[in-house]
Amino acid sequence: MSPATDRIRALNDQLRKNLSGGRAVMTPGVAALGSEAVYRLVQTIAIFDDFGSANDPHGEHDFGAFDFDGTPVMFKIDYYDKSLEFGSPDPADPTVTERIITIMLAEEY
């Protein structure tokens, strides 16, 4: 892995584990699970560690999929420029990148 990939992974892990260093959004299907379930789902994502070549080919820890209370769910971290208009020019640089983690039901992808 390159130093840039290591930095991207660390920044993604910070967002995924602590919901800091970016923004978090959920889809309507996740919101419909209710606040208690969403709380548990966020906790589950924070400890998610099933990253491998199939779901993390670039080693950035930017995607995960798993079963939550019998419902397939996913999370995805995307990198935007600070205006949220375009992709980030450098996802390893938090001064030019806005990270957004989206939590969704797999059926909403």
Side-chain angles (χ1 to χ4, degrees):
M1 298 282 167
S2 73
T5 300
D6 291 343
R7 181 74 176 135
I8 292 167
R9 183 176 52 251
L11 292 164
N12 287 346
D13 285 344
Q14 176 185 338
L15 178 57
R16 182 179 54 80
K17 292 177 179 182
N18 306 310
L19 295 183
S20 64
R23 301 177 189 199
V25 296
M26 70 179 103
T27 59
V30 169
L33 297 174
S35 60
E36 186 272 333
V38 170
Y39 176 78
R40 288 187 301 106
L41 180 55
V42 168
Q43 289 180 315
T44 302
I45 290 169
I47 61 170
F48 181 86
D49 68 353
D50 188 20
F51 297 105
S53 60
N55 69 348
D56 191 31
H58 303 290
E60 296 178 351
H61 290 187
D62 61 353
F63 175 84
F66 55 93
D67 188 73
F68 178 76
D69 290 347
T71 302
V73 298
M74 303 164 54
F75 67 87
K76 174 74 175 106
I77 299 174
D78 293 297
Y79 320 117
Y80 295 94
D81 67 0
K82 286 295 191 174
S83 68
L84 300 176
E85 200 171 336
F86 301 105
S88 170
D90 182 2
D93 182 354
T95 66
V96 299
T97 303
E98 188 68 36
R99 284 183 154 60
I100 300 180
I101 185 169
T102 303
I103 304 168
M104 68 194 92
L105 302 181
E107 67 190 41
E108 295 176 298
Y109 185 68

